[in-house]
Amino acid sequence: MSQWLASVIDPYYQQVLMLVGIYIIAALGLNLITGLCGQLTFGHAAFLSIGAYTAAILTRDFHVPFLASLILGGLMAALFGVLLGIPVLKLTGDYLGIATLGFGEIVRVAFTNMKITGGAIGLAAIPRASNLINVTIFVILAVAAVVLLENSRFGRALKAIREDEIAAEAMGINAMRYKIQAFGIGCFLAGISGGFYAHMLQYLNPNDFGFLKSFEILNFVVLGGLGSIPGTIVGTTVLTLAPEFLRFVQEYRMMIYGLLLVLMMIFRPNGLLGGVNFRRLLRRRKQKAAALSS
Amino acid sequence: MLLQQIINGLTLGATYALIALGYTMVYGIIQLINFAHGDIYMIGAFIGVAAVALFHQNFFLTLATAMLACVVLGMTIERVAYRPLRRAPRLNLLITTIGVSIFLETFMTVLKGPQPTGFPPVLKNVTLRVGTLEFSSIQLVILLVSVALMVGLQFIVKYTKIGKAMRAASEDYDTASLMGININRVISFTFAIGSALAAAGGVLVGIYFNSVSPYMGVTAGLKAFVAAVLGGIGNIPGAMLGGLLLGLAEVFGVAAGFSTYKDAIAFTLLIIILLVRPTGLLGRPIQRKV
């Protein structure tokens, strides 16, 4: 299978496509927390790294099968997400963002100092287990799960909290519980994404998961359009591919990337697909078809 | 020994405070966490290096050159990148500041390479002794310059017309503009002062550690930001207090044997303070409006 794939798609492109898929999983998690539930977090990369290190150590040192270690990595990230969320989600707005930013940096420093993670040198020789196929399967699963969640009682509660927490509480929604649940699920997705990341690169370094990585994922979500699942997918794809397309400008690459970020925010303030969702798109197409047939 | 550590902590804290003031003033008026602020500090340090290396300026001229250049830089960034987004969702503005930050960092990396550069000698470093206490003349200069700048800032904010306008704007942005305050001018001025202080911080830190690098703004900026939050973001004395506290906490943390966790001390302190006093030490509590 992988040989066939290699003959169809160049390994470099495979790598880039895998990265897009991996980031989509993480961004969907963040979209649930920030886009749907309205809770600002600047520490998403920390959960990515928790999942990545857990999964990598399990497969590398304990020979746990890839799928199991992936799930365990996700659960570990979710556990930390809930443990952090219980005290921290009392904070609102920027203060929540700041606290999660602090948590992200603490995790990074801890991983730099722990023995089991290989410290500042990093964790190497992680078996290569991610491939385009299993990443794609998980992206589809994640999208399906988030779409189902969004349109469920749970998703509607999250949206109510996003729009007005106090009003939602007055309506009998236990805001704290829903916020923690959303945070846990979002962190679970980040953990899964981290597991794939570790088994793609085969090397982990704590400095890859600094706050800039958290912002990168936040950029995906905001550029795509907060709260929009197709937006998240498009935003992630565009922003992950941008640095690859910009390789020809070499050292100016990140400069142009920064500029791009500013320009997109100025000229497309609601994101590329702000307010667009699958259902409405489908409905519109149906309406169009109906209008044509009548 | 204890007094010694206190001096070290205060020196470090004073530089954090200088940068923190920029975060806090901007946040106070437009509720924006300006992530590019740490990079203005970095550019300030590099301009300081250039001023000494190319024009052999003395210390005070170097400081003035860096501050002036960063005033222009800060105001330009505000005008070009932030002002068009004044009415946009706040998260977009935040991402714009990250874009600017990435831009400035890579700009400097392209220009000077990623390696740290030394700061050319501009101040004589003499070890001063008072009893058993030892500290360098550079530490003394840092403390004196920082205190002078902070006193200057207090004067501007308390006793000048533009300072009054700043306070009004931070109290209530919309009402202030209805009262005939030119809000764009106030914001521009806020960025100018914040950038000048950051540049001064950059030059002082560059001299203190004798090292300037394109990525120095990242950690220092984050820590200064933590300092601003510790004191209560939007609160000027809070930022000074937060900076000094943070400097002391770090120095004592290292002295207590947590040197490998040095960078985590600030953030642990941050989370604890946020949980106990969500708006910082001197911050006003947020009102939940129904």
Side-chain angles (χ1 to χ4, degrees):
Chain A
M1 192 74 173
S2 60
Q3 269 170 346
W4 168 78
L5 210 60
S7 68
V8 184
I9 310 173
D10 183 83
Y12 166 71
Y13 292 122
Q14 276 195 42
Q15 184 98 354
V16 174
L17 286 175
M18 258 155 73
L19 200 62
V20 171
I22 289 170
Y23 281 149
I24 285 177
I25 300 175
L28 283 172
L30 188 67
N31 185 44
L32 195 72
I33 302 171
T34 306
L36 219 54
C37 193
Q39 307 301 309
L40 200 53
T41 158
F42 297 155
H44 211 53
F47 301 103
L48 228 78
S49 73
I50 291 173
Y53 274 103
T54 310
I57 291 168
L58 283 175
T59 49
R60 193 187 80 138
D61 298 340
F62 300 97
H63 307 291
V64 176
F66 177 55
L67 188 68
S69 64
L70 205 61
I71 304 282
L72 285 172
L75 289 175
M76 187 68 112
L79 176 73
F80 273 93
V82 171
L83 285 180
L84 174 72
I86 290 170
V88 153
L89 281 169
K90 270 189 295 199
L91 301 169
T92 50
D94 290 335
Y95 290 97
L96 176 64
I98 297 160
T100 48
L101 179 89
F103 174 76
E105 286 301 292
I106 293 172
V107 169
R108 187 179 63 79
V109 175
F111 280 155
T112 317
N113 285 296
M114 273 156 58
K115 227 179 210 152
I116 192 165
T117 59
I121 305 157
L123 196 71
I126 302 165
R128 191 179 168 94
S130 308
N131 57 48
L132 203 50
I133 298 159
N134 56 23
V135 170
T136 312
I137 293 172
F138 265 82
V139 169
I140 293 169
L141 285 177
V143 172
V146 177
V147 169
L148 284 177
L149 274 178
E150 188 188 351
N151 299 313
S152 68
R153 184 193 175 89
F154 178 74
R156 286 192 295 274
L158 295 190
K159 279 182 216 162
I161 293 169
R162 174 185 68 189
E163 297 305 327
D164 192 330
E165 197 174 325
I166 295 170
E169 266 183 350
M171 292 294 141
I173 291 173
N174 185 343
M176 197 61 199
R177 210 188 75 203
Y178 278 108
K179 282 198 284 185
I180 292 171
Q181 283 170 347
F183 208 70
I185 298 171
C187 293
F188 176 77
L189 287 175
I192 297 273
S193 160
F196 274 120
Y197 185 84
H199 291 86
M200 178 185 83
L201 283 189
Q202 298 170 275
Y203 170 75
L204 288 176
N205 188 311
N207 287 331
D208 288 349
F209 301 100
F211 76 108
L212 267 178
K213 182 73 89 195
S214 296
F215 282 124
E216 215 182 317
I217 304 169
L218 190 64
N219 294 344
F220 298 158
V221 176
V222 176
L223 179 82
L226 267 176
S228 151
I229 295 171
T232 302
I233 296 170
V234 173
T236 310
T237 312
V238 169
L239 282 186
T240 312
L241 294 182
E244 302 298 332
F245 280 128
L246 290 173
R247 273 198 197 281
F248 70 98
V249 281
Q250 290 168 8
E251 68 248 54
Y252 297 96
R253 180 165 78 110
M254 288 314 282
M255 229 165 102
I256 296 177
Y257 180 80
L259 213 60
L260 211 63
L261 227 51
V262 175
L263 291 177
M264 286 201 273
M265 283 302 144
I266 292 176
F267 294 112
R268 203 78 186 92
N270 288 323
L272 290 173
L273 295 178
V276 178
N277 66 29
F278 278 141
R279 261 203 178 170
R280 214 174 299 160
L281 274 181
L282 283 176
R283 206 181 301 152
R284 202 176 297 160
R285 193 166 299 158
K286 261 186 212 157
Q287 276 171 354
K288 243 183 215 164
L292 279 177
S293 64
S294 62
Chain B
M1 197 53 208
L2 181 72
L3 216 58
Q4 187 94 55
Q5 295 293 0
I6 290 179
I7 291 179
N8 293 343
L10 287 180
T11 314
L12 192 63
T15 62
Y16 286 150
L18 279 182
I19 317 170
L21 285 165
Y23 279 111
T24 229
M25 286 191 296
V26 167
Y27 193 91
I29 294 179
I30 50 176
Q31 259 93 60
L32 167 73
I33 305 172
N34 178 15
F35 280 104
H37 191 61
D39 299 292
I40 291 184
Y41 149 89
M42 176 271 293
I43 301 265
F46 269 105
I47 291 171
V49 171
V52 180
L54 300 179
F55 307 108
H56 307 288
Q57 293 181 348
N58 67 26
F59 172 70
F60 286 104
L61 264 176
T62 306
L63 202 63
T65 312
M67 287 171 76
L68 207 67
C70 283
V71 163
V72 176
L73 178 69
M75 285 169 77
T76 313
I77 291 173
E78 192 274 326
R79 182 69 194 83
V80 175
Y82 301 164
R83 196 176 295 179
L85 282 151
R86 198 64 53 79
R87 296 278 161 211
R90 284 180 39 218
L91 204 49
N92 293 36
L93 202 51
L94 196 81
I95 288 184
T96 309
T97 71
I98 297 164
V100 173
S101 161
I102 295 176
F103 178 84
L104 292 178
E105 259 163 47
T106 11
F107 173 75
M108 218 55 224
T109 318
V110 170
L111 210 65
K112 288 289 291 178
Q115 305 87 3
T117 347
F119 207 101
V122 63
L123 271 183
K124 260 199 224 112
N125 195 6
V126 192
T127 309
L128 304 168
R129 279 200 188 82
V130 181
T132 54
L133 211 61
E134 259 182 36
F135 52 93
S136 67
S137 53
I138 289 182
Q139 281 184 313
L140 194 69
V141 170
I142 291 180
L143 276 173
L144 288 179
V145 171
S146 312
V147 169
L149 287 173
M150 287 187 233
V151 169
L153 175 70
Q154 276 296 349
F155 176 79
I156 291 176
V157 172
K158 281 253 158 75
Y159 299 108
T160 62
K161 207 170 171 186
I162 187 91
K164 202 173 187 178
M166 278 168 73
R167 279 183 287 145
S170 83
E171 197 69 40
D172 191 327
Y173 182 94
D174 289 318
T175 314
S177 67
L178 289 176
M179 295 295 146
I181 290 174
N182 182 345
I183 219 81
N184 280 335
R185 236 187 88 221
V186 172
I187 294 173
S188 203
F189 185 74
T190 309
F191 271 89
I193 297 190
S195 307
L197 293 175
V203 171
L204 293 175
V205 169
I207 295 173
Y208 188 32
F209 293 113
N210 190 21
S211 162
V212 172
S213 93
Y215 297 102
M216 69 191 278
V218 180
T219 342
L222 270 188
K223 281 186 191 162
F225 171 59
V226 167
V229 179
L230 281 185
I233 195 156
N235 183 315
I236 290 178
M240 298 178 194
L241 177 73
L244 295 180
L245 269 182
L246 192 61
L248 288 172
E250 239 173 52
V251 166
F252 279 105
V254 171
F258 295 110
S259 57
T260 49
Y261 282 89
K262 182 171 158 264
D263 289 339
I265 294 170
F267 300 105
T268 317
L269 198 66
L270 169 79
I271 292 187
I272 296 169
I273 298 268
L274 278 182
L275 292 179
V276 184
R277 275 192 70 93
T279 49
L281 293 172
L282 302 183
R284 274 178 283 177
I286 318 172
Q287 303 275 308
R288 287 184 77 176
K289 283 181 200 145
V290 181

